[in-house]
């Protein structure tokens, strides 16, 4: 075990997979000579050279399309899209091509590829650079969509994603890159499609993914001081969704708060809420509480932006609300 | 690019003293404004991503001065000087960078999203190449309405590798639109040197694929850019046809404030600084007897005043109150649904 940042954990996963499997190669804008705009690929270009670590022009749609083609030919490309906002230029290749090929061609083709990209806001980058759009991809059959919250999961899930034979959309978060945690050394794989209970508790389930898991854990700490034991369920995988872990948690606690950084309407929380109502309605003691980003394009001004993003306080208040305890 | 000094002298002489002095003043204003913005960023008055255009003044001042009132201008995230040169009040630009209500976008846009519809500064956009397509649209509207307006679209060398760029050139030509494509070739897109990511390293040659007349000019020579842009705008206006200009220039600073600049050598940066557009222009003005050192000092004093006024104005402007401002303007009018 070693302490490392989320960024370092990703870097280690990429490096290990590049070493392990000749068919793994990286592509993306400024991931090579520049070491990546968030430095996730730091040192890899130097170590592996431009055959394995390729700088690309600003051509998102074609980069992803080329990855789909390379995957069809047996490579395992890992594409970095600088941020999820720019992936909108590549949605055609992701949705109409990567996600469809296996089924549409009768199961005769595979597309083993990964598209990595960070989402999230909070850095005053404005409306076009601060979105959490993972749900767009999570609605598409044929894609695996994961969003790890901790360095350990970042490493284990990236390695698992690269080895998976399906197209995987791997969602990072700009606010997570510098966060630290224990990461097992060497061969360490986290299965895709499984949620993880990051904190056990008996009173209320807080269901979240990506950076919101850290807020949920902080909220659980605050609640614990008031005698409320929250269970934090980290979805980790958005598609497939681990229905059983969510259900089991709510069966235990009878209360639920669902959280996401992005917009809630038709969102991840809409899906988790529906899942809870479908599978655990009989166990619920109260309506669940949904917490999500305010539904406006992200404003630049600091106070305005902060007002848009879910907070620890909101999660605490949400837990108390569903527990019918008045907020202090 | 070989420089023919005789031709350059002739080009200079074809402009009035007023115009030449105006170009100097505007380039200097943008230089000092941008330096101040950099300072304000380090003092945390300005947040988010900040892309300074120091070094590129001759390119954008020369190009924008070729436009007339009523002409549309679209830009990128490196756009403070583009806005100011198109007539946007520097005070409102600074207020936007400070995130205040008197900013051009009421503090919601920030450095990358300035806008002034009255001046037809149609916005700074942060999706590379995205605004090129929008420029096709205003040019279409001008033709549709049979007006005499021209649209100018600013974009970088990096943007020319994006599909939107190519589709926009094609459509502008097919529809015969009065659109000047203005490629600011500062030779890098983030850390990527042009030759590492573009099959064709002279951007203007890409226009040939769409049969759009194009030329490459020295983007450190404000007169060269102005003359080429003026001719292009005139042709676009009269003949209803797109035109393409590539101005070769250099950004002295990093891509954004976060860029350590490891992908290029100090010597290279120094070499371009020695070709500084403002310094070079001053020499030419002095030689031609069009200005004196005192004139430059007067300009320095004047732009210092404008920049200070901008900072004072921005400082005095209130922060937007989320309770009032946050949910306004998502839609036009009151939307009769409750959204989250
Ligand atoms: C579609 C898209 N992809 C990637 C980015 C990230 N990005 C921002 S600026 C930039 C480089 C653009 O280079 P260029 O067009 O030459 O303009 P310059 O920054 O040099 O002015 C990149 C890759 C983006 N904003 N939009
Ligand atoms: Mg450039």
């Amino acid at each position: 075990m070693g302490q490392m940042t989320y960024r370092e954990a990703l870097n280690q996963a990429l490096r290990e997979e590049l070493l392990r499997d000749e068919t793994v190669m990286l592509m993306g804008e400024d991931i090579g000579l520049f070491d990546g705009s968030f430095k996730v690929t730091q040192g890899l270009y130097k170590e592996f050279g431009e055959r394995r670590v390729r700088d690309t022009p600003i051509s998102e749609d074609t980069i992803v399309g080329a990855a789909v083609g390379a995957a069809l030919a047996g490579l395992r490309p890992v594409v970095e899209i600088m941020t999820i906002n720019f992936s909108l230029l590549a949605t055609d290749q992701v949705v109409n091509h990567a996600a469809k090929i296996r089924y549409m061609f009768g199961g005769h083709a595979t597309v083993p590829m990964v598209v990595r990209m960070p989402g999230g806001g909070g850095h005053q980058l404005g409306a076009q650079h601060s979105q959490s759009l993972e749900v767009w991809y999570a609605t598409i059959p044929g894609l695996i969509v994961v969003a790890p919250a901790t360095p350990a999961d970042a490493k284990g899930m990236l390695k698992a994603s690269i080895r998976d034979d399906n197209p995987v959309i791997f969602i990072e978060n700009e606010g997570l890159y510098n966060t630290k945690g224990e990461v097992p050394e060497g061969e360490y794989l986290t299965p895709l499609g499984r949620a993880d209970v990051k904190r056990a508790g008996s009173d209320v389930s807080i269901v979240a993914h990506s950076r919101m898991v850290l807020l949920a854990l902080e909220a659980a700490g605050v609640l614990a001081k008031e005698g409320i034991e929250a269970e934090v369920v980290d979805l980790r995988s958005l598609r497939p969704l681990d229905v059983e872990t969510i259900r089991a948690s709510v069966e235990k606690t009878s209360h639920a708060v669902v959280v996401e950084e992005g917009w809630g309407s038709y969102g991840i929380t809409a899906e988790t809420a529906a899942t809870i109502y479908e599978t655990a309605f009989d166990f619920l003691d109260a309506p669940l509480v949904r917490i999500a980003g305010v539904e406006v394009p992200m404003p630049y001004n600091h106070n305005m932006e902060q007002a848009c993003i879910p907070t620890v306080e909101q999660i605490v208040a949400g837990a108390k609300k569903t527990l019918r305890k008045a907020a202090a | 690019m070989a420089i023919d000094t005789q031709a350059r002298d002739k080009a200079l002489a074809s402009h009035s003293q007023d115009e030449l002095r105006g170009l100097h003043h505007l380039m200097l204003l943008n230089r000092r404004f941008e330096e101040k913005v950099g300072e304000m960023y380090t003092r945390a008055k300005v947040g988010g991503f900040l892309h300074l255009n120091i070094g590129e003044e001759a390119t954008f001042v020369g190009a924008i001065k070729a436009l007339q009132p009523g002409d549309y201008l679209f830009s990128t995230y490196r756009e403070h000087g583009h806005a100011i040169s198109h007539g946007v009040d520097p005070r409102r630009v600074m207020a936007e960078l400070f995130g205040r209500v008197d900013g051009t976008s009421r503090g919601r846009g920030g450095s990358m999203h300035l806008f002034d519809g009255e001046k037809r500064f149609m916005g700074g956009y942060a999706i590379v190449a995205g605004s090129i397509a929008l420029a096709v649209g205003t040019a279409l509207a001008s033709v549709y309405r049979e007006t005499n307006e021209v649209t100018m679209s600013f974009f970088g060398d990096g943007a020319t590798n994006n599909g939107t760029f190519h589709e926009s050139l094609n459509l502008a030509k097919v529809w015969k639109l009065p659109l000047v494509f203005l490629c600011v070739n500062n030779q890098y897109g983030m850390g990527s040197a042009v030759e590492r990511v573009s099959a064709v390293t002279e951007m203007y040659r890409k226009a040939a694929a769409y049969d759009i007349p194009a030329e490459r000019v020295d983007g450190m020579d404000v007169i060269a850019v102005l003359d080429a842009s003026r001719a292009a705008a005139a042709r676009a206006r009269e003949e209803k046809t797109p035109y393409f200009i590539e101005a070769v220039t250099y950004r002295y600073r990093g891509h954004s404030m976060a860029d350590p600049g490891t992908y290029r050598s100090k010597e290279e940066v120094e070499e371009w600084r020695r070709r500084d557009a403002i310094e070079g222009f001053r020499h030419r003005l002095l030689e031609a007897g069009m200005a004196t050192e005192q004139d430059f000092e007067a300009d320095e004093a004047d732009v210092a005043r404008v920049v200070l006024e901008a900072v004072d104005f921005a400082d005095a402007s209130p922060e937007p109150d989320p309770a009032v401002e946050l949910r306004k303007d998502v839609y036009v009018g009151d939307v009769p649904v409750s959204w989250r």
Side-chain angles (χ1 to χ4, degrees), chain B residues 56 77-78 156-159 184-190 194 251:
Chain B
E56 301 177 1
Y77 43 83
R78 201 181 297 287
D157 44 282
V184 181
N185 181 359
N186 60 13
Q187 308 175 55
Y188 291 89
M190 248 178 201
V194 164
R251 63 166 160 72

Side-chain angles (χ1 to χ4, degrees), chain A residues 30 55 59 128 295 300-301, chain B residues 97 99 126 161 192 196 319 339:
Chain A
D30 278 312
D55 278 319
S59 313
Q128 296 185 321
E295 297 196 3
Y300 160 76
N301 173 274
Chain B
L97 304 184
N161 300 318
S192 293
R196 296 189 69 237
E319 298 256 355
W339 74 93

Side-chain angles (χ1 to χ4, degrees), chain A residues 11-287:
Chain A
N11 183 271
Q12 208 174 71
L14 291 170
R15 182 167 181 276
E16 288 175 12
E17 293 308 298
L18 280 163
L19 283 171
R20 194 187 61 82
D21 181 352
E22 239 278 314
T23 66
V24 174
M25 47 91 65
L26 315 186
M27 295 196 270
E29 293 161 20
D30 278 312
I31 65 163
L33 190 65
F34 194 66
D35 274 335
S37 41
F38 294 100
K39 305 296 166 213
V40 172
T41 52
Q42 186 135 35
L44 299 178
Y45 176 81
K46 217 171 161 194
E47 182 174 354
F48 294 95
E50 60 190 5
R51 176 168 167 265
R52 309 282 307 278
V53 181
R54 286 182 186 248
D55 278 319
T56 67
I58 308 169
S59 313
E60 285 80 7
D61 203 31
T62 300
I63 300 164
V64 173
V68 175
L72 279 170
L75 299 188
R76 290 186 178 272
V78 181
V79 172
E80 173 177 301
I81 297 289
M82 207 174 279
T83 77
I84 198 167
N85 308 282
F86 316 144
S87 80
L88 298 193
L89 282 79
T91 43
D92 172 59
Q93 288 298 344
V94 174
V95 176
N96 281 329
H97 296 85
K100 302 295 188 282
I101 282 176
R102 174 139 190 106
Y103 187 87
M104 187 168 78
F105 294 146
H108 296 305
T110 55
V111 185
M113 61 180 284
V114 179
V115 179
R116 298 179 32 241
M117 52 200 172
H123 308 279
Q124 282 198 270
L125 303 185
Q128 296 185 321
H129 269 58
S130 306
Q131 301 172 96
S132 298
L133 299 172
E134 49 269 35
V135 68
W136 286 37
Y137 297 109
T139 62
I140 305 297
L143 298 178
I144 305 270
V145 184
V146 300
T150 63
D153 285 344
K155 179 173 174 187
M157 294 183 86
L158 184 51
K159 285 169 72 84
S161 298
I162 293 170
R163 295 186 199 186
D164 199 282
D165 284 336
N166 295 291
V168 179
I169 306 299
F170 192 94
I171 309 287
E172 301 162 12
N173 186 296
E174 291 172 40
L176 286 177
Y177 285 133
N178 287 329
T179 58
K180 281 196 160 170
E182 293 290 332
V183 177
E185 255 144 55
E187 184 70 359
Y188 171 69
L189 296 167
T190 308
L192 309 182
R194 305 259 175 80
D196 185 41
V197 175
K198 285 281 188 299
R199 181 192 196 279
S202 51
D203 298 330
V204 56
S205 303
I206 307 176
V207 183
H209 71 281
S210 195
R211 196 174 72 81
M212 289 297 121
V213 171
L214 303 196
L215 273 65
L217 287 168
E218 219 181 305
V222 174
L223 289 164
K225 290 201 187 105
E226 301 180 31
I228 298 168
E229 287 304 323
E231 176 149 303
V232 176
V233 178
D234 175 3
L235 294 173
R236 298 198 299 198
S237 176
L238 305 175
R239 184 179 195 98
L241 187 68
D242 183 353
V243 173
E244 178 48 28
T245 300
I246 300 170
R247 189 204 63 76
S249 179
V250 176
E251 177 179 344
K252 183 165 81 170
T253 64
S254 301
H255 297 88
V257 177
V258 293
V259 190
E260 74 184 299
E261 181 171 335
W263 303 305
S265 295
Y266 309 96
I268 304 291
T269 50
E271 186 60 32
T272 47
T275 298
I276 290 169
Y277 283 126
E278 276 177 344
T279 63
F281 183 79
D282 291 339
F283 301 106
L284 278 179
D285 284 348

Side-chain angles (χ1 to χ4, degrees), chain B residues 36-318:
Chain B
K36 181 60 81 181
V37 172
E39 185 191 322
M40 292 294 125
Y41 182 86
T42 56
R43 288 171 49 188
K45 293 269 191 186
V46 177
F49 282 156
L50 175 62
H51 312 83
L52 300 178
N53 57 35
I54 298 174
E56 301 177 1
E57 294 88 353
T59 290
F60 63 80
V61 166
I64 294 168
K65 277 289 135 191
L67 297 178
Q68 296 175 2
D71 287 345
Y72 294 103
L73 178 63
F74 283 89
S75 187
T76 67
Y77 43 83
R78 201 181 297 287
E79 90 283 32
H80 312 156
H82 306 175
I84 291 171
S85 303
H86 203 49
V88 182
D89 184 345
R91 298 178 308 165
R92 296 188 58 221
V93 173
M94 192 66 88
E96 187 57 36
L97 304 184
F98 280 31
R100 305 301 173 89
V101 290
D102 296 302
T104 63
S105 309
R106 300 188 68 76
R108 292 184 199 147
S111 164
M112 304 196 286
H113 304 305
L114 302 171
F115 184 86
D116 188 338
E118 258 167 55
K119 299 286 181 195
R120 296 217 162 153
F121 180 74
M122 302 310 286
Y125 299 85
I127 302 301
V128 168
S131 64
I132 308 175
L134 308 184
V136 172
T138 52
L140 167 65
S142 297
V143 167
Y144 189 91
R145 292 210 185 92
E146 298 180 8
T147 69
N148 238 342
E149 302 137 358
V150 161
T151 293
M152 184 177 276
S153 170
F154 269 77
F155 50 87
D157 44 282
T160 69
N161 300 318
N162 191 280
T164 305
F165 164 85
H166 293 274
E167 294 177 27
S168 297
L169 261 65
N170 183 58
L171 192 53
K173 181 69 183 190
V174 169
W175 281 349
K176 302 187 173 59
L177 301 179
L179 174 45
V180 179
F181 294 99
L182 203 298
C183 179
V184 181
N185 181 359
N186 60 13
Q187 308 175 55
Y188 291 89
M190 248 178 201
S192 293
V194 164
E195 60 274 15
R196 296 189 69 237
V197 287
S198 184
V200 172
T201 56
E202 294 172 314
M203 301 299 131
Y204 80 101
R205 289 176 54 209
K206 298 191 182 188
Y210 307 98
D211 212 7
I212 294 176
E215 70 186 296
R216 187 177 223 228
V217 296
D218 178 359
M220 304 305 269
D221 177 349
V222 68
I223 299 297
V225 181
L226 174 60
D227 288 351
S229 305
R230 219 168 238 168
R235 269 189 78 173
R237 206 181 304 278
E238 280 150 32
E239 300 167 25
K240 304 294 174 228
T241 183
Y243 207 95
F244 190 106
I245 291 174
E246 170 189 8
V248 182
T249 181
Y250 204 79
R251 63 166 160 72
Y252 296 171
R253 302 288 184 93
H255 168 73
S256 70
M257 298 301 272
D259 171 8
T262 46
Y263 48 85
R264 58 186 194 182
S265 70
K266 278 207 179 69
E267 292 71 39
E268 182 187 293
V269 180
E270 274 316 305
E271 190 199 312
W272 279 90
R273 278 179 183 273
R274 274 196 295 278
R275 296 173 54 181
D276 185 73
I278 298 176
E279 282 301 312
F281 191 51
R282 284 182 175 185
H283 278 295
R284 288 169 67 189
L285 290 179
L286 288 173
E287 261 174 32
M290 288 291 202
T292 63
E293 290 287 357
Q294 286 75 19
D295 293 331
F296 301 148
E297 278 161 33
D299 279 356
E300 283 283 10
D302 191 58
V303 304
R305 176 189 56 79
V306 174
V307 171
L308 267 187
E309 275 176 20
V311 172
D312 289 343
F313 177 85
D315 256 331
S317 174

